[in-house]
Amino acid sequence: MRVMVTIMIKRLTALFLAALMLFAFTGCGINSIRALSGTNVFMFKNTGNDFGNLMYDGFYEYMSDQGELTAYKCPAEPLVSEQVEMLDTLIIQKVKSITISACGDTGYAEVFKRAKAAGINIISVCNAASPDYRLTHIDMCDPQAIGSALVQAATLIAMKIDYPTDGDMRTAVENALSVYTGDTIKFGVLSSAVDTPVQNGWIDCMRIELSDPIYAGKVSPDLDVKYGNDEPTEATNQANAFVAENKVDVIVSPTTIGMAAAGQVLKASGSEIKLTGLGLPHEMKGFMPAVDTDQAFDFVCPYMMLWDVRKLGAVAAAATLAAAKGEYDGTVGSSFTFDGTVYTTIETDDGGTRIIALDPYIFHKGNMADWVDKL
């Protein structure tokens, strides 16, 4: 609880400083359109999303510790057009940098060209911006590691096998499937938008994992994918569709909004369908086992995964500031240091570069109590 209070204080402080800065500019007779001049802007896909809020907490904390100004800008809806409109304004305001989680993979070319011409670095995080205009992309972790872990967790959950104490889901899956004689296991996916590149990439990686011979004849390679558009009402509607159809054993949701919506639906309906995916512990409280003595399969989501979202925002901030200082250029092999770790840039399949910030982290009954008030 203390952690959440601290976060709220930081957010209120940031809002106060932003308001004070705007007042100072206006009071001096300077046009308020310049109020964000020299500010490092973090832009998420939409407001009201705890994933984005927590990333900004980490971004803000790192930047403020370095004496830098920050601002948090998000459209109300996760639409490319709304982000583009905001980006246009930020360029006019002469912001120092823009760190963005893009709503889609197209539609930004002209505004990013203007940002580049104005000397404003674009670094993307979570959802990648075009490699033609971004300095680099900050990836949560290797996409195949996420896709494989999602499939492995869902497979074990479908067979009612608890999270292995040694953390080796791959071996646990291989051993369990080698003696499995039940019906073909089927997965549904409750994703965000149909054109969101990061979730689509993870789903593709799930398909790659499912092509491994260990799953052949026992786990269906066909995924039933539905899209909740990262909007609670639509995500709830799609989760209800899974329950009504009753064709899958486990719903895998690679989006925190989908996880929370599916958790509510499955718990309320009493469905036998189970849930796993990428979720925030505080949002999944009540849908997951809370302590080590709980029976994991008494809950709709026996275990799930994510990463330290605040740290992801902080790593993005470190890259952004290093670039602003001319100490990091985003090319392959270039690097920066954060919290004693050197992050080295690698190539990406889209022709750009990226930084792998973190590893997947499994939340289960043995550690939920440690995380539920932190993330």
Side-chain angles (χ1 to χ4, degrees):
M1 182 61 70
R2 255 182 299 172
V3 173
M4 299 304 290
V5 170
T6 301
I7 290 170
M8 290 302 300
I9 290 172
K10 286 182 177 179
R11 289 182 186 162
L12 290 171
T13 302
L15 288 171
F16 173 76
L17 290 173
L20 185 63
M21 184 171 66
L22 177 60
F23 174 79
F25 275 111
T26 306
C28 292
I30 298 174
N31 194 314
S32 62
I33 206 165
R34 299 290 301 278
L36 291 180
S37 177
T39 298
N40 299 281
V41 173
F42 184 91
M43 181 179 290
F44 194 65
K45 294 180 292 183
N46 61 294
T47 57
N49 189 314
D50 277 349
F51 190 95
N53 295 342
L54 288 166
M55 269 204 290
Y56 178 66
D57 287 336
F59 184 89
Y60 165 76
E61 184 171 355
Y62 179 85
M63 285 292 191
S64 62
D65 285 347
Q66 303 301 312
E68 294 284 321
L69 294 173
T70 68
Y72 189 26
K73 297 290 181 181
C74 311
E77 302 293 332
L79 300 173
V80 171
S81 59
E82 293 198 15
Q83 280 194 324
V84 167
E85 185 177 345
M86 283 188 151
L87 289 165
D88 267 324
T89 302
L90 295 173
I91 293 167
I92 294 169
Q93 291 176 320
K94 300 185 184 298
V95 299
K96 184 174 182 177
S97 68
I98 296 171
T99 304
I100 183 171
S101 179
C103 287
D105 53 4
T106 59
Y108 295 92
E110 291 303 317
V111 73
F112 282 160
K113 282 180 187 176
R114 289 194 290 277
K116 194 170 183 178
I120 300 170
N121 285 328
I122 300 289
I123 287 181
S124 57
V125 59
C126 185
N127 290 301
S130 168
D132 294 330
Y133 306 106
R134 72 179 191 242
L135 186 81
T136 195
H137 175 64
I138 310 298
D139 233 339
M140 288 73 70
C141 49
D142 181 73
Q144 190 56 59
I146 298 175
S148 294
L150 288 171
V151 169
Q152 291 162 13
T155 301
L156 292 173
I157 288 170
M159 292 187 286
K160 293 184 168 52
I161 297 174
D162 223 334
Y163 180 68
T165 55
D166 64 0
D168 187 354
M169 289 197 297
R170 167 72 188 192
T171 299
V173 166
E174 196 164 3
N175 291 339
L177 286 178
S178 69
V179 296
Y180 180 71
T181 57
D183 294 336
T184 300
I185 296 168
K186 297 179 181 179
F187 300 142
V189 178
L190 177 54
S191 190
S192 53
V194 67
D195 60 349
T196 303
V198 65
Q199 273 84 9
N200 288 340
W202 291 334
I203 294 168
D204 286 342
C205 290
M206 289 178 66
R207 293 189 176 104
I208 291 171
E209 173 70 15
L210 285 167
S211 69
D212 190 296
I214 67 171
Y215 299 99
K218 300 185 178 185
V219 181
S220 173
D222 300 320
L223 297 172
D224 182 355
V225 183
K226 301 185 190 300
Y227 298 94
N229 296 321
D230 266 349
E231 196 281 315
T233 300
E234 183 58 22
T236 298
N237 290 340
Q238 296 303 322
N240 275 315
F242 275 123
V243 171
E245 294 163 4
N246 198 30
K247 294 179 180 178
V248 302
D249 299 291
V250 180
I251 297 172
V252 180
S253 186
T255 167
T256 58
I257 289 179
M259 283 291 287
Q264 290 276 10
V265 167
L266 293 176
K267 184 175 181 179
S269 67
S271 171
E272 292 185 3
I273 297 171
K274 294 298 182 183
L275 172 67
T276 192
L278 305 177
L280 290 163
H282 78 272
E283 290 186 340
M284 297 301 291
K285 186 177 181 179
F287 309 133
M288 285 186 65
V291 294
D292 196 43
T293 54
D294 281 340
Q295 296 298 313
F297 289 88
D298 288 345
F299 298 82
V300 297
C301 180
Y303 42 98
M304 64 175 188
M305 65 201 73
L306 198 62
W307 39 82
D308 189 335
V309 185
R310 289 194 199 91
K311 186 174 179 180
L312 178 61
V315 172
T320 298
L321 191 53
K325 291 179 178 179
E327 299 169 354
Y328 172 66
D329 64 7
T331 58
V332 173
S334 61
S335 63
F336 62 91
T337 301
F338 168 73
D339 199 24
T341 299
V342 176
Y343 291 85
T344 301
T345 312
I346 59 176
E347 289 182 293
T348 54
D349 293 338
D350 64 6
T353 66
R354 65 174 173 165
I355 291 288
I356 303 296
L358 306 164
D359 294 316
Y361 185 87
I362 310 296
F363 300 104
H364 55 94
K365 66 182 184 180
N367 62 20
M368 269 293 284
D370 298 329
W371 285 97
V372 73
D373 289 330
K374 297 178 182 177
L375 197 61

